[in-house]
Amino acid sequence: MKINDIKELSIQINLNGLSFCILNRTTNEIEFLKTIDFEQKQVPDAVLNHLKTELSSNTVFSEDFNDVLVIHQNELSSLVPEELFNADNKADYLKFNSKILRNDFITEDLIAINKSVNVYVPYVNINNYIFETFGEFVYKHSSSILIDALIQNPESTSEEPTVYVNVNKNTIELLVLENGKLQLFNVFEYHSKEDFIYYVLFVFEQLKLDVETTHILLSGNIVIGDENFVMLYLYIRHVTFIEKNYKFNIVAKTDRRYLHQHYVILNSF
């Protein structure tokens, strides 16, 4: 490893955990990939303390990074067609499907690939700390990265609708793509395997999709045999994990069978 290697750091922030990934652009290798799951959902201040502990206790974060990206993952987001977006109405886009406070800072990502704007509430305390620690950085909402990556996925051009389920500890992001176009995107909070399958089947019902023929592609916090996977397999015939050939080599110590669990952060570069 050379001292002047070009390196990029992505940090994914969730009230249920943290993820870290380092890409060495010079060698074209993912050198570091780590996920920390919290036993219970935390408040933002507690998440910040976890983040401070991890960044200060691991020497890989003391290197100089050419780019730093913070990925905010929460359900406080709403997708708006670009042509209808008005920056003065950001709070209005959110208040109908998210619990926001009067003093919440609201921002947005442009998702150019499908001409939409993702309006969301970032964790301001995290952003402030990252700026103090690393200087200038970029931040995005996790669903902006997810939508962009899935639309670029070769399978999204299928003439048949495909359902994508990105699983987090207490939320799922559900997307439906057909002919490369986003038909539906929504985030649901779940607390049991029954909640989980209810929301998936709800989307099938809303879009009149056939559980016998429509394919589900999975990413995130789900593996064969866990209770959510078993429920899916019980009701839906075609369930597989999303696969992707990344343009970089993954040399970080990780189980390559479970790369789908890191789908968002690996697609952030």
Side-chain angles (χ1 to χ4, degrees):
M1 184 183 68
K2 297 173 185 173
I3 294 173
N4 57 353
D5 280 356
I6 296 171
K7 293 194 177 188
E8 298 175 12
L9 168 66
S10 282
I11 304 171
Q12 190 170 336
I13 308 293
N14 188 309
L15 298 184
N16 287 299
L18 300 168
S19 292
F20 305 88
C21 193
I22 296 173
L23 170 64
N24 186 323
R25 285 282 182 195
T26 305
T27 62
N28 197 37
E29 294 175 336
I30 294 290
E31 295 182 338
F32 185 81
L33 183 60
K34 181 178 182 180
T35 295
I36 299 168
D37 292 320
F38 306 146
E39 286 187 17
Q40 293 180 318
K41 190 174 183 179
Q42 307 283 305
V43 297
D45 285 346
V47 175
L48 177 57
N49 289 333
H50 284 288
L51 178 63
K52 287 179 177 179
T53 300
E54 184 63 25
L55 291 180
S56 61
S57 63
N58 198 322
T59 55
V60 298
F61 300 121
S62 60
E63 300 180 42
D64 289 329
F65 294 102
N66 298 78
D67 291 294
V68 175
L69 172 69
V70 173
I71 306 163
H72 296 280
Q73 187 170 38
N74 57 33
E75 56 271 32
L76 304 176
S77 69
S78 186
L79 213 56
V80 182
E82 187 181 0
E83 60 187 20
L84 300 179
F85 176 72
N86 183 330
D88 295 331
N89 299 334
K90 285 190 278 194
D92 294 326
Y93 300 131
L94 278 178
K95 69 183 182 184
F96 294 112
N97 60 357
S98 302
K99 293 177 183 175
I100 59 171
L101 304 174
R102 186 180 295 275
N103 60 348
D104 276 339
F105 173 69
I106 302 172
T107 187
E108 74 279 345
D109 297 331
L110 173 64
I111 308 176
I113 197 166
N114 75 331
K115 297 179 180 176
S116 64
V117 177
N118 196 9
V119 182
Y120 65 99
V121 177
Y123 299 115
V124 174
N125 64 330
I126 302 288
N127 280 356
N128 290 341
Y129 174 70
I130 293 295
F131 183 76
E132 291 168 12
T133 307
F134 295 104
E136 192 174 329
F137 72 103
V138 172
Y139 60 94
K140 292 182 180 178
H141 197 270
S142 62
S143 58
S144 303
I145 295 168
L146 184 65
I147 291 166
D148 185 75
L150 291 177
I151 290 176
Q152 292 186 59
N153 185 40
E155 290 170 324
S156 75
T157 57
S158 169
E159 292 181 5
E160 298 299 323
T162 302
V163 178
Y164 296 85
V165 184
N166 188 59
V167 184
N168 311 300
K169 196 170 182 181
N170 288 122
T171 60
I172 49 173
E173 287 128 337
L174 273 157
L175 301 89
V176 180
L177 291 170
E178 184 179 355
N179 289 318
K181 294 187 177 175
L182 187 66
Q183 305 298 316
L184 177 144
F185 169 73
N186 213 335
V187 182
F188 300 99
E189 188 172 348
Y190 72 95
H191 299 284
S192 67
K193 62 183 187 292
E194 289 81 13
D195 290 348
F196 181 88
I197 193 64
Y198 170 82
Y199 289 121
V200 174
L201 293 177
F202 174 74
V203 166
F204 270 74
E205 182 187 20
Q206 291 294 302
L207 296 185
K208 297 180 170 55
L209 303 175
D210 187 348
V211 295
E212 291 292 324
T213 59
T214 303
H215 287 248
I216 278 187
L217 286 174
L218 298 171
S219 58
N221 188 19
I222 188 167
V223 295
I224 290 175
D226 73 18
E227 62 180 16
N228 292 330
F229 183 88
V230 170
M231 289 298 274
L232 281 173
Y233 219 70
L234 202 60
Y235 288 93
I236 294 157
R237 182 176 290 275
H238 300 287
V239 181
T240 53
F241 293 94
I242 195 163
E243 293 184 6
K244 179 171 178 176
N245 294 318
Y246 292 99
K247 295 177 182 177
F248 39 71
N249 299 316
I250 300 173
V251 299
K253 188 178 179 182
T254 188
D255 192 328
R256 300 186 71 85
R257 293 174 300 169
Y258 302 134
L259 284 182
H260 68 272
Q261 295 186 327
H262 310 286
Y263 189 76
V264 170
I265 203 164
L266 285 174
N267 279 284
S268 68
F269 296 104

